[in-house]
Amino acid sequence: MLVDTHCHLDAPEFDQDRAAVIERARAAGVNRQVIPATIAAGWPGLRDVCASGAGLHPAYGLHPMFLDAHRRKHIAELKQWIESEKPVAVGECGLDFFIPDPDRDEQAWYFEAQLKLARDFDLPVIVHARRAVDQVIAAIRRIGNLRGVVHSFPGSLQQAEILWEHGFMLGIGGPVTYERAKRLRKIVATMPLEWLLLETDAPDQPDAARRGRRNEPARLTHVLETIALLRDMSPEDLAAATTANAEHLFSLPRTPQPS
């Protein structure tokens, strides 16, 4: 009963076989997905995808890689969407200083505006932090009273520890399955289990066995198996713990426990 805490099922890469992708996920035991938005124009389609079946949970936000699509008025519209649609989180939002010539000030404006919405609505926030973990941490500290997840965590153990202190979990996906990801694998092997979430970021960030191909939520089991090996624990115990973490952070209905 796994939760894919970061999956872009509304992406056009899934338009031809979305129902089959969801069915494969269910067959693999991935019964729920959190689906974060990227641009305002995509919110209605994301809502429709989540309404198409059980276990699909929307988050609404404005992604830092798509500044050209964002307008300042979208923050007011996001507030209205949160009020009317009751998402499980705000996001995907954050900072990305990896892209060519990033407009750091504009990214920061949208990010902090969304952090304030998450704080005001008492919702978790799904954070993108590429080449910008320190700046993300600084923004989280400035706004305060936040909780959430830094998805596809790219930072150091010291940065992770600061995030835990501020109520933020680490989202771990396909990159951990690559043997070259030594720093990430070391963090995941020893970190406190209560701060760990599993994700795919499908259709992006495939695991090592699917390198170069479209990712999908059924592949979450490969992330689970890799982390279980790194932590020397059973996949079943890891699945139970990370599912409970996701349920707690996103206020999802609890998984029925075996009698």
Side-chain angles (χ1 to χ4, degrees):
M1 301 292 285
L2 292 167
V3 181
D4 185 349
T5 62
H6 198 107
C7 173
H8 295 284
L9 266 178
D10 61 319
E13 288 89 339
F14 295 118
D15 284 350
Q16 300 303 312
D17 63 345
R18 187 171 289 110
V21 167
I22 294 171
E23 183 57 35
R24 283 194 292 272
R26 300 295 183 269
V30 185
N31 294 286
R32 288 173 285 181
Q33 287 88 37
V34 175
I35 308 175
T38 55
I39 61 174
W43 297 344
L46 191 157
R47 177 179 58 189
D48 291 345
V49 167
C50 290
S52 69
L56 306 177
H57 302 283
Y60 295 113
L62 301 167
H63 194 293
M65 289 179 63
F66 303 103
L67 284 182
D68 288 348
H70 304 338
R71 301 292 181 268
R72 296 292 176 105
K73 68 177 183 177
H74 290 161
I75 293 297
E77 293 172 9
L78 178 57
K79 181 176 184 291
Q80 295 172 350
W81 270 78
I82 294 170
E83 289 173 337
S84 64
E85 299 300 327
K86 311 299 183 190
V88 298
V90 173
E92 178 176 358
C93 60
L95 301 173
D96 192 310
F97 297 163
F98 177 79
I99 59 177
D101 300 317
D103 187 333
R104 297 187 178 209
D105 291 341
E106 195 74 356
Q107 285 192 28
W109 188 89
Y110 282 103
F111 182 38
E112 295 202 12
Q114 291 175 88
L115 291 180
K116 290 174 183 176
L117 285 176
R119 178 197 62 195
D120 294 346
F121 281 96
D122 192 25
L123 283 171
V125 59
I126 298 172
V127 177
H128 175 104
R130 192 161 62 153
R131 300 278 177 91
V133 178
D134 285 337
Q135 294 87 345
V136 159
I137 289 171
I140 288 169
R141 283 172 159 163
R142 277 195 300 273
I143 304 304
N145 296 312
L146 294 164
R147 67 189 190 281
V149 54
V150 174
H151 109 89
S152 189
F153 178 71
S156 67
L157 176 59
Q158 291 74 23
Q159 290 168 327
E161 289 171 342
I162 295 170
L163 288 166
W164 302 332
E165 290 171 5
H166 287 81
F168 277 75
M169 297 185 178
L170 308 186
I172 305 297
V176 80
T177 66
Y178 290 79
E179 291 189 7
R180 67 174 183 269
K182 297 186 184 302
R183 182 174 72 173
L184 177 62
R185 289 162 73 98
K186 184 175 180 180
I187 292 171
V188 169
T190 59
M191 66 179 283
L193 189 55
E194 62 265 31
W195 298 109
L196 177 62
L197 293 176
L198 306 184
E199 62 173 55
T200 62
D201 197 26
D204 300 320
Q205 297 202 75
D207 56 83
R210 201 175 178 85
R211 186 195 313 258
R213 291 182 285 167
R214 184 189 73 173
N215 197 9
E216 59 180 71
R219 304 294 299 183
L220 193 66
T221 56
H222 295 265
V223 176
L224 173 77
E225 291 162 1
T226 297
I227 297 175
L229 284 171
L230 290 171
R231 296 183 65 89
D232 192 24
M233 64 186 298
S234 74
E236 294 78 12
D237 288 345
L238 180 61
T242 54
T243 293
N245 291 345
E247 290 171 344
H248 175 72
L249 180 63
F250 296 113
S251 298
L252 305 179
R254 294 285 181 180
T255 304
Q257 297 300 310
S259 56

